[in-house]
Amino acid sequence: PPGSTFKLVSASAALQEGVIDDRTTIFDPGAILLPNKYFPDDPKLAQPFFCWFRPGHGALAIREGIAQSCDTFFYKLDGGFSDFTTPLGQTLASDYAKLFGYGALTGIDLPGEAPGLVPDPTWKRKTLNEAWVTGDTYNMAIGQGFVLSTPLQVVNMTATIANGGTVYRPHLGRQIVNAARTLTNTVAPQIIRKLPVEQKNLQIVREGMRGAVTHGTSWKTNLAQVEVAGKTGTAEFFGPRIDGNLPTHAWFTAFAPYDKPKIAVVVFVAGGGEGSEVAVPVAAEILKAFFNIPLDAPLAKPIAPPPPPEARQPKANSPASAPPQQVQQAQPQPQTQPQPQPVAHRFVGQLAQVTENNASERPVFVGTVVDSAGRGLSGVTLSLDTGNGNGVATATSVDGGTFRFNDIDFHISTRWFVRVIGAGESTGLAIDVAPYKQYRLVFTATSQ
C-alpha cells in the first residue's frame, strides 16, 4: 500500500470536483465511529477509525490536512460523515487515482513492472465475494486497505503534481551514446496524458506539500539551501506483528526546488517503520547530494514545533498516542441533521497554528468556531480589537464555523485580540503578529 502519499490524489480530486475549496475545514476529533450498516443505532457495533495523531488535529483546511497528514480529514473527504455529507466518493477517488497512473503500467523501459491495484466495488465482489462498504473508502483514502502501488507510480504522481499536471512515461536515460561517445539516440519525453485538474488546484496541493516540510510531518527535509515539498507515508501490511501491531512500510516522496522543480524523489523502505522517521532522512541525503549540499548542513529554522512521528500505531510515549479528545459518533441520517446554531455559549479561544503567508505582508487570522462536539457553528459574531475592547472589525462564522480577518495592520499594534460577542462570549484571545504570517484560531464552546 502507498500509505499517506496517496492522500495527494484525493486532495487534487476533491479540489477539482468542487467537493472542497482551499477554505473548507473538516474537523478531526482524533477518532470517529462509523455506524454498522445494518444496526446504525447500536454504537457497540460501530467501527472506530483513528487518526494517526490520536488527540486529533481539530479543524483543518486542505493545506494543513496535507501538511499534518490528517487521516480523519481524508476519511471524511472521500467517504463522508455526519458533519461532511457531500464527499468525493469511491468512484471519483478511483477515477482520479487511475488518471494519476495508479493501477496501470507506467511503460518504463524495464521488464517486470507491476501495475499495482486501484480497487472498486466490482473488483471486491469478484475477488472476495463481498460488497464495498464505507470503511473500504476510508481505508483507500489514506492509502491503506486494498490499494497497491509501486514506488515508480508514487514518484510519477509527485512529478505530475510538480510539473503542473502532465503525466509522462518514465525512462532510464535521456540519451544513448556508443563506445566512441557518439550520440546514437535521444529519448524524447513521451506524454501519457494531461490531468483534468486546474493549475490553481494543483498549486494548493503543492502548498500543502511545502507545509509538510516547513512545519509538518516531513520537517526533516526542510533544507536551508533549497525549498523542498513532500509527503510522508506509513503503510501497514500483513505480516508478523511487532508488539501486537502490524508491520509498516516507510514512504516519502518529494520534489525540489519548490518554485522551479528539477527533481522528484521517492523513498520506500520495505518493513522500515514510520515514513517520517525512516524514509524522510534518506530522502534528505539524496536531495543534499543532488544539490551539492554538505551532508552535515543544518536544517532551516522551523516556523513551528515539529509534530510527533506519523505512525499507524503510535508508540506509548509519543504525543501522538494520547487518547482522542473525543470520539465522534456519526448520525444514522446525517442529511436530516440541522446545522448547529449558537445559543448562549461560553467560548474558549486558542491559537492553533502559525504559518507563512507570502501572498500578503499584512497578517491574516483564519479560524473556526465549534461546539463541544467539534461541529462547526455558523452565525457566531467575533470582534477584532487591539485590547481596549473597541472593535476594529467584526466577522461572522459561516458554514462549517469558519471565519476570517484579512489585512491585520501590524503598524497600529503588534498585539491583537479576537473575542466572541453577541450570541455568546469569550475572553479576548491575544495574538502577537508579524508580517507575512497566517494565524489559525479555534474557538470552542465549553457550555450552553
Side-chain angles (χ1 to χ4, degrees):
S4 293
T5 61
F6 195 76
K7 293 172 181 174
L8 301 176
V9 172
S10 295
S12 303
L15 287 164
Q16 182 61 29
E17 294 296 323
V19 175
I20 57 170
D21 60 26
D22 65 333
R23 296 186 181 182
T24 305
T25 58
I26 295 177
F27 185 75
D28 167 29
I32 59 176
L33 288 177
L34 182 64
N36 182 281
K37 180 178 180 180
Y38 301 104
F39 301 96
D41 296 324
D42 189 347
K44 295 180 181 178
L45 298 178
Q47 183 178 3
F49 283 84
F50 295 95
C51 184
W52 70 267
F53 185 66
R54 297 298 171 82
H57 290 99
L60 298 174
I62 184 61
R63 292 180 181 86
E64 286 306 303
I66 295 171
Q68 304 303 329
S69 195
C70 177
D71 292 331
T72 306
F73 185 98
F74 288 91
Y75 294 149
K76 294 181 177 182
L77 182 65
D78 279 24
F81 200 67
S82 56
D83 61 352
F84 192 77
T85 58
T86 56
L88 179 66
Q90 177 277 321
T91 300
L92 283 172
S94 293
D95 288 347
Y96 275 85
K98 293 173 182 176
L99 287 170
F100 271 99
Y102 289 97
L105 301 178
T106 66
I108 191 171
D109 34 11
L110 281 174
E113 184 183 7
L117 174 65
V118 177
D120 58 29
T122 300
W123 172 88
K124 188 180 181 185
R125 186 175 63 253
K126 289 181 177 180
T127 306
L128 302 176
N129 197 27
E130 295 177 0
W132 189 274
V133 294
T134 301
D136 294 324
T137 305
Y138 279 9
N139 284 329
M140 181 173 166
I142 64 168
Q144 290 284 173
F146 304 117
V147 63
L148 299 173
S149 68
T150 66
L152 185 59
Q153 289 171 335
V154 172
V155 75
N156 220 28
M157 170 199 68
T158 304
T160 299
I161 293 171
N163 71 33
T166 302
V167 183
Y168 287 96
R169 176 187 174 188
H171 291 281
L172 289 180
R174 185 182 303 169
Q175 296 177 335
I176 299 174
V177 297
N178 59 22
R181 303 199 177 199
T182 301
L183 178 65
T184 61
N185 192 23
T186 299
V187 180
Q190 292 179 258
I191 295 175
I192 297 176
R193 73 180 65 85
K194 291 185 178 293
L195 289 182
V197 181
E198 295 178 41
Q199 290 299 312
K200 64 177 183 179
N201 294 326
L202 290 174
Q203 177 59 26
I204 293 169
V205 175
R206 289 192 290 265
E207 290 169 1
M209 295 175 69
R210 176 62 183 154
V213 172
T214 60
H215 61 276
T217 58
S218 309
W219 65 274
K220 291 184 179 180
T221 53
N222 192 16
L223 308 182
Q225 297 82 358
V226 60
E227 293 186 341
V228 180
K231 183 72 196 75
T232 52
T234 302
E236 288 183 336
F237 66 96
F238 183 76
R241 290 181 177 266
I242 304 172
D243 296 329
N245 300 319
L246 288 172
T248 55
H249 299 312
W251 284 94
F252 180 64
T253 186
F255 67 87
Y258 170 65
D259 54 347
K260 294 181 180 180
K262 295 181 179 179
I263 182 175
V265 176
V266 65
V267 173
F268 171 73
V269 183
E274 300 163 0
S276 56
E277 291 294 287
V278 177
V280 172
V282 176
E285 292 194 12
I286 294 171
L287 291 167
K288 286 178 178 179
F290 183 85
F291 290 105
N292 295 315
I293 299 171
L295 286 178
D296 59 353
L299 298 176
K301 183 179 179 181
I303 64 173
E310 178 189 5
R312 299 270 70 82
Q313 298 289 339
K315 294 181 176 67
N317 60 351
S318 168
S321 67
Q325 296 178 4
Q326 63 192 68
V327 179
Q328 195 174 4
Q329 171 73 54
Q331 301 299 318
Q333 294 180 319
Q335 68 274 16
T336 65
Q337 299 301 311
Q339 173 87 12
Q341 297 298 318
V343 283
H345 286 297
R346 172 72 181 174
F347 292 89
V348 174
Q350 64 176 354
L351 176 60
Q353 195 168 50
V354 182
T355 57
E356 296 294 323
N357 177 32
N358 296 326
S360 173
E361 180 185 23
R362 291 194 173 190
V364 175
F365 293 166
V366 296
T368 311
V369 182
V370 298
D371 65 13
S372 57
R375 298 171 298 184
L377 288 172
S378 62
V380 177
T381 302
L382 301 101
S383 174
L384 176 70
D385 63 69
T386 57
N388 56 10
N390 296 324
V392 174
T394 60
T396 302
S397 62
V398 294
D399 289 347
T402 59
F403 66 90
R404 188 180 186 94
F405 288 103
N406 290 318
D407 297 327
I408 309 298
D409 194 341
F410 60 91
H411 298 294
I412 295 178
S413 174
T414 57
R415 173 168 289 187
W416 288 82
F417 292 78
V418 177
R419 66 189 83 228
V420 174
I421 60 175
E425 61 176 9
S426 74
T427 56
L429 173 63
I431 306 104
D432 293 320
V433 301
Y436 298 105
K437 299 291 183 183
Q438 176 173 285
Y439 300 83
R440 183 168 298 280
L441 320 177
V442 178
F443 282 84
T444 304
T446 59
S447 63
Q448 295 189 17

